[in-house]
Amino acid sequence: MNGTAIDHVKLRIPEDGVGDALAFYRDALGFGIDGMDLYESGEKPFFSVRLAPGAVIHLQPEGSTTATDGYDHVAVRVDETIDGLERELDDAGVDVDRRLDPLGATGVAPAVYVTDPFGYRLELKAERE
């Protein structure tokens, strides 16, 4: 078996957290939202944050859920310099929890960590310097 990329991650969010999710993932981070029409019509129990053409985060509103103890983070490669990424986050009012140069699937690259409204941590890893 030879894996090539992360296809998706599914996170449960509070039932009343849809607005917060859209404000963070769509409005602040600038990611696209897929499947909102199917979610709103009741045909699908979740909607998706489009991270890249082949990668999404499924968000499923459900009860009063919070981030679990076993979860650490989702790493997302972004086509930005680290300085540009930090400026975009600052302009959007998103606090950077920390900045590191972690080892990932494509090697060591600068990254920032942010936390979504539900306590889930995201690593945003710069693709270029």
Side-chain angles (χ1 to χ4, degrees):
M1 188 177 305
N2 184 23
T4 60
I6 294 173
D7 181 81
H8 73 274
V9 174
K10 185 173 186 180
L11 304 176
R12 291 183 177 90
I13 64 172
E15 199 166 357
D16 63 354
V18 174
D20 289 338
L22 295 175
F24 182 77
Y25 287 100
R26 181 191 64 199
D27 302 338
L29 298 185
F31 291 121
I33 302 297
D34 292 352
M36 185 56 76
D37 54 340
L38 296 174
Y39 168 73
E40 288 176 335
S41 72
E43 294 178 54
K44 203 170 172 184
F46 61 88
F47 58 95
S48 303
V49 177
R50 175 66 56 188
L51 303 172
V56 297
I57 297 175
H58 296 314
L59 296 178
Q60 182 166 339
E62 180 175 285
S64 58
T65 307
T66 58
T68 64
D69 291 334
Y71 175 85
D72 189 71
H73 70 277
V74 173
V76 180
R77 291 190 306 261
V78 295
D79 187 22
E80 289 290 337
T81 65
I82 194 68
D83 292 334
L85 179 57
E86 287 181 314
R87 272 191 306 277
E88 283 186 40
L89 293 170
D90 186 53
D91 289 348
V94 176
D95 293 329
V96 172
D97 299 334
R98 63 185 171 153
R99 179 180 174 176
L100 294 174
D101 291 324
L103 175 64
T106 58
V108 174
V112 295
Y113 292 78
V114 299
T115 304
D116 83 359
F118 316 106
Y120 293 112
R121 185 175 28 236
L122 301 175
E123 174 187 330
L124 302 173
K125 193 171 187 97
E127 284 277 8
R128 54 188 165 90
E129 250 332 283

